[in-house]
Amino acid sequence: PKDGLKDKILRMFGMRKGKAEQPPVLTIAATNLVSVLDQALLRPGRFDRQLRIGAPSYDGRREIFDFYLGKVKHVDLPIDQMVAETVNYTPAQIKHIVNEAVVHAVWNGRDAIDYEDFRWALETYEWGMRMPVIGMTYADKRRLAYHEAGHAIAAVKLLKRHRVARATIEARHDI
């Protein structure tokens, strides 16, 4: 082949003619957000083949939890329950939840995560940070609680296939 270092130097000084051989190149890339890619990359002839990888199955999520929980200190956790609560979560999302649970445990002065840390991390990820209820009287809070309980009851009665996991009067905002 005419593409060794000696051939490159000879070509640079004009002592060798012709182009170097260019072997075929396979480029593999991954993204969660195709919409943010430069459109030049998506033109015909560039990255023509796209493979979409779905969210992991129950067993896959279990393996992902085992992997990430193996890297942090934790008490005995109900892994099956945690796996069931993270349907359609990607490995990156599960890693984020575990990391947030560690942060919560450290904030509370503990060096090992427990299920409450996991629940806090999951709720924060899904619904945002809690905002305290400020400026409401006890009667206002009670009235709001009855109102939200009405939403929960309606959901149970009307949406037979869904369950109400938690109801609150606290507002939340995105992180």
Side-chain angles (χ1 to χ4, degrees):
K2 297 182 179 181
D3 54 356
L5 179 61
K6 177 182 168 188
D7 292 312
K8 289 179 184 179
I9 293 171
L10 290 174
R11 249 192 306 297
M12 193 166 56
F13 291 111
M15 300 171 77
R16 170 110 24 192
K17 302 292 181 199
K19 291 185 173 183
E21 293 179 16
Q22 294 184 354
V25 176
L26 171 65
T27 303
I28 299 174
T31 182
N32 289 338
L33 301 170
V34 178
S35 61
V36 299
L37 292 177
D38 185 352
Q39 290 303 308
L41 293 173
L42 302 175
R43 277 189 253 164
R46 303 281 167 85
F47 291 101
D48 289 337
R49 197 172 297 257
Q50 293 183 8
L51 302 174
R52 303 208 184 271
I53 308 299
S57 66
Y58 181 92
D59 293 333
R61 289 192 313 280
R62 170 116 189 160
E63 288 180 24
I64 294 164
F65 268 112
D66 289 340
F67 177 77
Y68 287 119
L69 289 174
K71 296 176 176 252
V72 299
K73 286 185 179 180
H74 59 86
V75 298
D76 190 30
L77 294 169
I79 305 291
D80 291 330
Q81 170 104 20
M82 295 164 62
V83 170
E85 292 176 359
T86 53
V87 174
N88 288 329
Y89 273 58
T90 65
Q93 290 170 317
I94 292 171
K95 178 183 178 184
H96 178 78
I97 297 296
V98 171
N99 288 343
E100 285 296 314
V102 170
V103 168
H104 188 256
V106 170
W107 281 348
N108 290 306
R110 291 179 282 109
D111 63 347
I113 64 173
D114 60 16
Y115 183 70
E116 289 304 315
D117 296 319
F118 168 78
R119 284 300 311 168
W120 179 88
L122 191 64
E123 290 174 12
T124 302
Y125 180 76
E126 289 182 357
W127 303 325
M129 293 290 288
R130 288 181 178 172
M131 293 178 9
V133 180
I134 299 174
M136 294 179 79
T137 66
Y138 176 78
D140 290 338
K141 288 180 184 178
R142 185 177 168 98
R143 191 175 302 115
L144 182 57
Y146 276 111
H147 174 85
E148 295 305 327
H151 285 291
I153 291 168
V156 167
K157 293 295 184 184
L158 297 174
L159 305 172
K160 299 287 185 190
R161 296 178 53 187
H162 299 292
R163 66 182 178 92
V164 175
R166 189 161 299 215
T168 181
I169 65 169
E170 292 178 326
R172 293 185 175 260
H173 63 85
D174 292 334
I175 309 174

